Amino acid sequence: MALRTYEQYLQSLRDMRPNIYKFDELIEDVVAHPATRNTVVGHGQSYKALGDPAEREIMTTTSHLNGEPISRYLSIIRSSDDMIANCRLKRHMFHLSGTCTGGRCAGWTAINAMFATTFEMDAKLDTDYHDRFLAWLADAQSRDITISGALTDPKGDRTRPPSMQDDPDMNLRIVERRDDGIVVRGAKVMICGIAAANEIFVLPGSSYKETDRDYAVSFVIPRDIDNLTIVETRRPSDNRETEEGFDIPVTEGGITQAYLFFEDVFVPRERVFMAGQHEFTGTAVKYFIAPYRAAIGGCVAGQGDIKIGAAVLAARTNGLSSKVFSDKITQMCINNETTFGLGIAASVMGSQHPSGAWICDMLLSNVNKVHVATMPYETSRLAQEITGGIGETGCIPSYKDYTSEKYGHLVRKYLKARSSAESRTRAARLVEWTTIGPGVPGCMHGGGSPDGARMFVRAFSDLDKKVEMARRLAGIDEEISEPAGKKK
Amino acid sequence: MALRTYEQYLQSLRDMRPNIYKFDELIEDVVAHPATRNTVVGHGQSYKALGDPAEREIMTTTSHLNGEPISRYLSIIRSSDDMIANCRLKRHMFHLSGTCTGGRCAGWTAINAMFATTFEMDAKLDTDYHDRFLAWLADAQSRDITISGALTDPKGDRTRPPSMQDDPDMNLRIVERRDDGIVVRGAKVMICGIAAANEIFVLPGSSYKETDRDYAVSFVIPRDIDNLTIVETRRPSDNRETEEGFDIPVTEGGITQAYLFFEDVFVPRERVFMAGQHEFTGTAVKYFIAPYRAAIGGCVAGQGDIKIGAAVLAARTNGLSSKVFSDKITQMCINNETTFGLGIAASVMGSQHPSGAWICDMLLSNVNKVHVATMPYETSRLAQEITGGIGETGCIPSYKDYTSEKYGHLVRKYLKARSSAESRTRAARLVEWTTIGPGVPGCMHGGGSPDGARMFVRAFSDLDKKVEMARRLAGIDEEISEPAGKKK
Amino acid sequence: MALRTYEQYLQSLRDMRPNIYKFDELIEDVVAHPATRNTVVGHGQSYKALGDPAEREIMTTTSHLNGEPISRYLSIIRSSDDMIANCRLKRHMFHLSGTCTGGRCAGWTAINAMFATTFEMDAKLDTDYHDRFLAWLADAQSRDITISGALTDPKGDRTRPPSMQDDPDMNLRIVERRDDGIVVRGAKVMICGIAAANEIFVLPGSSYKETDRDYAVSFVIPRDIDNLTIVETRRPSDNRETEEGFDIPVTEGGITQAYLFFEDVFVPRERVFMAGQHEFTGTAVKYFIAPYRAAIGGCVAGQGDIKIGAAVLAARTNGLSSKVFSDKITQMCINNETTFGLGIAASVMGSQHPSGAWICDMLLSNVNKVHVATMPYETSRLAQEITGGIGETGCIPSYKDYTSEKYGHLVRKYLKARSSAESRTRAARLVEWTTIGPGVPGCMHGGGSPDGARMFVRAFSDLDKKVEMARRLAGIDEEISEPAGKKK
Amino acid sequence: MALRTYEQYLQSLRDMRPNIYKFDELIEDVVAHPATRNTVVGHGQSYKALGDPAEREIMTTTSHLNGEPISRYLSIIRSSDDMIANCRLKRHMFHLSGTCTGGRCAGWTAINAMFATTFEMDAKLDTDYHDRFLAWLADAQSRDITISGALTDPKGDRTRPPSMQDDPDMNLRIVERRDDGIVVRGAKVMICGIAAANEIFVLPGSSYKETDRDYAVSFVIPRDIDNLTIVETRRPSDNRETEEGFDIPVTEGGITQAYLFFEDVFVPRERVFMAGQHEFTGTAVKYFIAPYRAAIGGCVAGQGDIKIGAAVLAARTNGLSSKVFSDKITQMCINNETTFGLGIAASVMGSQHPSGAWICDMLLSNVNKVHVATMPYETSRLAQEITGGIGETGCIPSYKDYTSEKYGHLVRKYLKARSSAESRTRAARLVEWTTIGPGVPGCMHGGGSPDGARMFVRAFSDLDKKVEMARRLAGIDEEISEPAGKKK
């Protein structure tokens, strides 16, 4: 099959067992239900776009397994060019959907992390994980499925490792090992795009020691597997999704973030890619982090482009030229291109893994993560500043009021400015949606915390080399070692 | 009567004619209706607190008209100490309510602006506005009412003055002058705390020229006056207000922002404080801006205190010590104290007006406004960073899911960390509420835009004096005048 | 005598024993020697200005000891108004001299710190330090002397307390206690304005424990006391001071920073204000820090004013209007007024000490210190940006080249722009002088490090109160205590 | 010859006619004279390093003209890999020399700019500039010379074009056109590394219109050509270069910036690459800017590495562990990698020019320029903060005092901390040198102003495309055009 149509994608979602809930209700059809419809449409852009040759160029590549055309989201990144294409694709997907389509990208990253990790595992442990993985991958490519990635465990008390928690389930773990597979219990939380996914790729949430080996587990499962219960979180202003009108102005995309509860889920052997090899959990995490934190620069740049466009649009509906806000727009552009550019740089400065995978530069990826956790906030603030009070908190009557028979004419009369009331409202609502509304993605902590990234920056910066360079330049012969402790 | 009880305050609201709508429904009782209840409770803190002597000290002062104890919100600020008390009160009200109680403070500011402005008008024009104003004020103090302030006009096309708009109603205007009063038409938009107010004090929204003299109008009216229709705007996640549970964790306060439609409202003569004196519109705006932009530093500091507390609370529920985030907390404190401190400075560096009013320093007030439009955004970002993914976008299942009979036990099991699931959820929801939820006040544009403030900063900074000081120090004898134009 | 004339001040300096060195040479006359002349002129502005009534208002006040007119620099700060006058005076002195006149202000601060500290010591220890201090102060006021303040010890290995250093002299200490006084040994380093001072007021450099009681010492001495050797440090581009021309364009002020070596200096009893009372070293430091870190906001604002003026002057000499740089100028003004304003706020929010002294608010003072360590750097960068390449590193031929007989005409021909070559050069050199030259004061570490200030901010911010407020608002009943340690 | 030895390089400089002045003195031997020695050594690192294979890999490449090994500084950048190698080389040169070796890099950039520009000129105008250029380049490569680049004109009144200046010489111009060449008059100012250069490559300083065609001129000349007079500017603390000791601690590198006066210099035809083709001045400038503003990210990162090393070194000499300053060091690393990484990104996102040249991405290059004008200032501030007061303004007695027979023992006694007095002093002086001393390069305005870069960012950001994306997402059908003017 190779590449599915949009309609085939939607049908594949309809065909699955309903196991997603929100507001204490089972969502029978994720394609139609207002709580999940927008995210399905957003993810679906990656299928819909294939009719256009320019889009197809961005969205697809060739399988290194068999030379078939496949979605990039199912490809192994084998060169800096592949990785640059990743950054571009993510920026583009934000342009199309206005927000995060994490149900494809985290899965993609997970695939790549385990491609390299299983290769290393097999090389060192003489296991057959890599072959299992490749068999599954070839099949996944041929089915052109959408795959979410799931890392984050509930974690419980942050200061204690998994096996020292009061409740051992606070991190996802193997509770039974069978010849034909494993049984897992626990949860993965805040997982993006589950409702739009066909399968879920699970990775360990952290680096574990030997005592925590039951938590060293990676596998892939159908989203509707038995004993898996999924609850969608509520997000800012999510009730508006159930309403008519343009209080949520965007119908081309949307985010969902879910809690996944594994109540003794059985995973067949051929879908298990790690089961107890704690010494490779750090490896898997590292290979996840590197491309994720590079490419996310494209994500926030893509939404940044929308924020700029929306703010200028809003200003123009008010009668104000973009020239009035020239310095703010320039700063927003600088923020966008900085995160996008650093993603490109992390891609280019990467290196080839023995498996054939391309591993992004850890220093630049993590530098980018820190920017991703700060710059979009400034961009949002500037978008709100340009838009004015109606953008800052979306300070506009609701669509119900806008169309009220009693006083809707007054609302519309006074919302009109240089442009129509509807255009002005929609533009302001888009600024609200991207800066303080349901379109805000969880980019700060998605893929790990900024403080974690800062630790990597510090670790990969080779401080001693810098000190040596300075010592040489300063003409100092004396050895100047690091003092033992902090000042008391 | 002088000082009302909380119950008297609530009763006064219940006694008014219902003329506020939201979601195309008339709100029969603002005290009970979920859309307005929280803001009423929030404003009501200023009445409720009077039983406590320490609170009473913060909340009340003595009327300079008659020596009676009155709410500060109805007082004339006559000294820097009064103004400092204003800054403190606003910080304190955010502590109590968690958010903005703008329905008292904008009214207070409007009162003070027109106290000085009417004094100047009478001195120059031989009118009797000041006496009218004082008569009304004495009565308002004796009734201990809550008064909203309303400045912002819809404005239409931003590049054209009121009288040049296609629709002359785009700024509030006098359509009829009668012996016993005036009739006004138009709207005021994004007005805070209307639902909690007994009266509304209207000010011109900008400085006008003679051709726009019909727009030079100031008056005070009961909120339920005939021909006034009020529509509450929708704010982030406002639907949650209608739900059970703690998805909105705060019940002690809340914001509303309303659109006010004046369909030929008659205002009796004794409640009119400006009617056509365009040359005093700039004066009124200036006297509004000066204290408003000083004291708002206390507002955002007060909410910043809550953000710090909420983030540390959330971290602790996760098992993390505040020491882990020490530098972030320090930065948040610096942001808070900077805006609070600059408000104090603007208060102190003010000057006495011939009317007896105390006028804050325009330079420092406007410097503060710029900080108010930026620093709280950094504080919010840091709060989200400390809290983790569940704070960033409130990424938690809804209360309905939390209590689901089917799977609520799973939600609760996995939300538990060092503290209980409920405490952890409530703390994270409070971070969401103050940083990306319904508790976010409109401080960036409230009281005017940051770019407007920057223009004041530039205008009040006496650039030529600085240039002269530099010229003297540099030993330059030559005259160095300002070149005519910008570089082409 | 009360108030000296400028000439009397200069004569008093000439009358002292030469004990200051630079470049291995003894400076016979600090008034005439190029290494110290500018700083003497700068400090002398405080005497010279007294002829002008407006200046006199800024510079002088009334002694609370005897009602005589005295220099503010010798006064006890007894009210918030006194403290505001301090902030204003410091800003003004930067306007007059272009840079720091720390030889008066640190001494002033030291006087105030020991006024309150000796009061507390006597109250608790039944000593007579306060009376000694008052006797000396009355005499100092009557002589109208200039007094430097000296706190910073060499400190040796930063991780060890004074008594644990390999060399016990690394902090200034009492080596002999006699009936008629004490003998001290050690050094004070990086002391500002010594060359312009008549006396030196010494304070302990830190808070000490009992084992370090010999280091708990405070006293005042003539600058030219026996066994005191003073070496001036070299500062950026200081050689230019010995040259003719305008490569240093400023002749109205200048900084010196000295190392003071005490080789068993005898201090008579009546000039000793602390000798072994280690438990009051922290007190002295705190009472020094509070006003110092408040008022230094005026200092950097004052120099910031000059930077703005110099940058605009340079732009105008190039033919560019200040309008081209409007946003940069506004940001520079915001920086200036922020540090000035927070100093005012720290002044106002202070409290009365039982001794009658006015103690600034520690939280706001330390917040200000952090800004003082960052904002002036941005202001400098903006000044350089406005000025262009010739301001950035002072990239202009020397005065010798400017006046060269061989090619000086070429230098002058091509330095001319809209204004004369000399004006353009002087303006650019002033930017260089204030941003990367000898006019840069040591404001970042002067009066303690920014990290020290951050620790105070954290300590004085009452985190637990904020957490409690958040807990109440979030509706959390559970106790949420601080977890024990950092995450491992 | 292809690659010269360090000694051959020095000899080539000694062989030239002395025509460089400083302090009104002719510098007879730039290799030996203290004013130029350090910059010669710094530039010489690029020759000296060739003995080491790893260095050679960084420093050299293959000529695309003839396949010979050549210095990268003389190569045409023909691929993104070449451009990445450029960024790396520049970072590395800062590591070796501690500062800017602009006498090679600006020349390199100029070569590349005119390679592409002459190609376009010939294609459009049927001239033979490209062949002339290639002939000269092949010869320059074979001689392995060092070439400075010179763009900046004195410019006179900034608001007027060259031909409208009072003095037509304010921009370098052709005063005579001869069959065998041209005669030029005027000046180029603030030119880096002239003293270390064999030849000077001149480019037009801006984009010119037809009326300014005499200013459209590009050529290359020996540094010691007749009628060229060079005056070195004075830089911060440059006098120290003439002194013994370690007040300037660095002997491996140094900067010079010169004013070049062309008093009717004759340039032979074969060395002229533009003479009157004003329509290509913008082209030349653009092709200069693109790689320059990309690679300068490597420059400031390289010096940033030294600042980090120096600050940590200084802290360690004080006894403080780098852990104390972990967040500051991380921030400094982030700044470094951001500018370096964006240079890499601008390199990679470039495109192939028909001539075979590789043209960097203009948007990312200019984004980087803005960061280059800001981030190093923060890095400097943090370095000073870590180092303490002795780093902030280099507040240490001079070397003469350090070695004084009278009191040098005291200076040394009290400068000692955990490390020796000399190591501590050298480390602090290195921080001073790189942050407020002669090692500070002119990166903010070198290669054009940040405001110029901001204009490019704005121009290359395709605002309308962003607006269209937003309009589609917001569901707006109405056309929303840009309003005509700014708000009045």
Side-chain angles (χ1 to χ4, degrees), chain D residues 71-101:
Chain D
S71 168
R72 282 200 184 277
Y73 285 120
L74 295 168
S75 68
I76 298 303
I77 296 159
R78 294 164 53 81
S79 68
S80 62
D81 282 348
D82 284 350
M83 191 61 215
I84 291 172
N86 182 336
C87 297
R88 280 184 197 274
L89 170 52
K90 287 184 181 172
R91 188 167 188 170
H92 188 64
M93 283 301 288
F94 265 82
H95 291 170
L96 292 178
S97 71
T99 185
C100 172
T101 50

Side-chain angles (χ1 to χ4, degrees), chain A residues 436-454:
Chain A
I436 194 173
V440 177
C443 284
M444 184 195 270
H445 293 92
S449 75
D451 271 348
R454 287 186 188 100

Side-chain angles (χ1 to χ4, degrees), chain A residues 150 186-189 191 194 200 228-231 258-262:
Chain A
K188 291 284 183 180
V189 297
I191 307 305
I194 284 290
I200 302 167
L228 176 65
T229 302
I230 296 167
V231 180
Y259 281 46
L260 281 54
F261 302 114
F262 295 79

Side-chain angles (χ1 to χ4, degrees), chain A residues 199-470:
Chain A
E199 299 199 358
I200 302 167
F201 203 114
V202 170
L203 245 63
S206 187
S207 174
Y208 297 128
K209 299 204 172 137
E210 190 176 1
T211 45
D212 296 322
R213 64 186 171 279
D214 287 345
Y215 300 90
V217 61
S218 171
F219 55 83
V220 65
I221 47 171
R223 189 217 76 199
D224 58 354
I225 197 167
D226 284 349
N227 297 337
L228 176 65
T229 302
I230 296 167
V231 180
E232 290 292 349
T233 62
R234 83 176 312 175
R235 300 178 330 286
S237 298
D238 54 1
N239 287 75
R240 299 186 193 178
E241 292 168 346
T242 63
E243 302 173 5
E244 194 192 355
F246 44 68
D247 289 352
I248 287 185
V250 177
T251 57
E252 299 291 316
I255 312 174
T256 56
Q257 295 166 306
Y259 281 46
L260 281 54
F261 302 114
F262 295 79
E263 294 181 281
D264 293 358
V265 169
F266 171 72
V267 186
R269 194 177 181 281
E270 64 273 16
R271 284 176 162 270
V272 175
F273 309 131
M274 180 187 289
Q277 293 78 9
H278 69 89
E279 67 272 38
F280 286 92
T281 49
T283 311
V285 168
K286 189 178 73 178
Y287 291 154
F288 183 90
I289 281 175
Y292 192 89
R293 295 183 178 181
I296 200 172
C299 299
V300 300
Q303 195 175 40
D305 292 329
I306 302 301
K307 291 177 195 172
I308 295 170
V312 171
L313 206 53
R316 288 179 180 174
T317 65
N318 287 336
L320 295 173
S321 160
S322 67
K323 289 187 187 67
V324 177
F325 306 105
S326 203
D327 57 334
K328 294 179 182 65
I329 294 167
T330 301
Q331 186 57 50
M332 294 165 93
C333 291
I334 288 172
N335 290 348
N336 284 352
E337 302 308 329
T338 299
T339 60
F340 178 67
L342 281 175
I344 297 295
S347 302
V348 173
M349 304 300 277
S351 56
Q352 202 84 43
H353 186 266
S355 64
W358 183 258
I359 307 297
C360 286
D361 183 76
M362 278 295 275
L363 175 55
L364 287 164
S365 284
N366 281 287
V367 165
N368 205 19
K369 172 75 192 184
V370 177
H371 287 315
V372 162
T374 46
M375 289 182 167
Y377 285 76
E378 187 188 32
T379 303
S380 288
R381 176 174 61 73
L382 291 168
Q384 293 183 359
E385 193 173 333
I386 291 170
T387 306
I390 57 171
E392 189 179 343
T393 53
C395 191
I396 309 169
S398 72
Y399 182 78
K400 282 205 186 83
D401 294 305
Y402 185 92
T403 54
S404 166
E405 296 207 357
K406 285 190 285 290
Y407 50 78
H409 64 289
L410 292 171
V411 174
R412 296 190 298 271
K413 169 186 169 90
Y414 290 108
L415 277 173
K416 187 174 179 317
R418 180 167 172 267
S419 303
S420 71
E422 181 175 332
S423 291
R424 185 164 172 246
T425 302
R426 282 180 176 273
R429 285 277 180 227
L430 181 57
V431 172
E432 180 197 15
W433 186 78
T434 53
T435 62
I436 194 173
V440 177
C443 284
M444 184 195 270
H445 293 92
S449 75
D451 271 348
R454 287 186 188 100
M455 275 189 279
F456 276 114
V457 170
R458 183 74 172 72
F460 281 87
S461 284
D462 202 346
L463 186 60
D464 285 332
K465 190 172 159 198
K466 296 185 209 302
V467 172
E468 268 316 291
M469 294 189 302

